[in-house]
Amino acid sequence: MVMREAIGEHSKRWAVIVFFSLIVGEGIVYGFEAAESIVLALAGMLLNLLLYSALHRLEGKVYNRAYLRLGFDILYEFLSGKRGAVRQFWDIWVVFALPFALSKRYVSPTHFWAFTLPTTLTGALLTRHMLNWKGEM
């Protein structure tokens, strides 16, 4: 168990380092255009945190009939780690990338593969660690 916790701490540090390195690198390469990506990445993190905290407050009520119809039970189980790490990470990444999808801006393929995709993936990993879920990576 101690080894697993050490690996978890190690991966948190690397996620933070990679995330901020990508943001700084994008700022150096693309200049002011990178500011929008930074805002979108932070918005994705905030969206995940707010969604998780709202669903956590509804924890006992999520399984009531009205909330079941809206799919809150499935989303709560994904975000709280009850359905496995891969499905949970996928759900967090989809919510994290939502501001990028809604921004309606053109991004060159190089910008997308070099910065946007890695930023969203490491940001989703960092968000997953920030919430200190029960499910282990």
Side-chain angles (χ1 to χ4, degrees):
M1 188 65 162
V2 174
M3 183 66 163
R4 180 177 265 176
E5 290 174 11
I7 291 171
E9 285 299 317
H10 186 70
S11 64
K12 285 179 197 177
R13 280 189 224 116
W14 275 107
V16 170
I17 290 168
V18 170
F19 183 71
F20 286 111
S21 297
L22 284 167
I23 287 175
V24 169
E26 185 176 10
I28 291 169
V29 173
Y30 290 99
F32 187 70
E33 185 182 325
E36 185 181 5
S37 279
I38 295 167
V39 169
L40 293 173
L42 295 176
M45 262 185 186
L46 185 63
L47 184 62
N48 266 298
L49 294 172
L50 290 174
L51 185 60
Y52 177 78
S53 64
L55 289 172
H56 190 66
R57 289 181 186 263
L58 288 174
E59 181 179 3
K61 300 176 186 175
V62 164
Y63 299 101
N64 288 351
R65 189 174 183 152
Y67 295 117
L68 284 175
R69 285 192 216 133
L70 296 172
F72 283 6
D73 59 331
I74 295 169
L75 189 58
Y76 175 72
E77 288 179 0
F78 280 172
L79 290 176
S80 62
K82 294 182 180 179
R83 295 285 183 170
V86 174
R87 289 177 71 183
Q88 179 188 15
F89 181 75
W90 171 257
D91 191 63
I92 292 164
W93 183 68
V94 167
V95 175
F96 188 96
L98 188 61
F100 285 90
L102 296 176
S103 71
K104 294 184 182 176
R105 65 185 181 115
Y106 172 76
V107 177
S108 68
T110 307
H111 190 177
F112 175 78
W113 289 107
F115 293 106
T116 305
L117 186 64
T119 300
T120 58
L121 290 174
T122 56
L125 177 67
L126 185 61
T127 305
R128 183 178 192 281
H129 282 302
M130 284 171 54
L131 294 178
N132 195 16
W133 282 302
K134 300 170 195 164
E136 290 295 324
M137 209 60 181

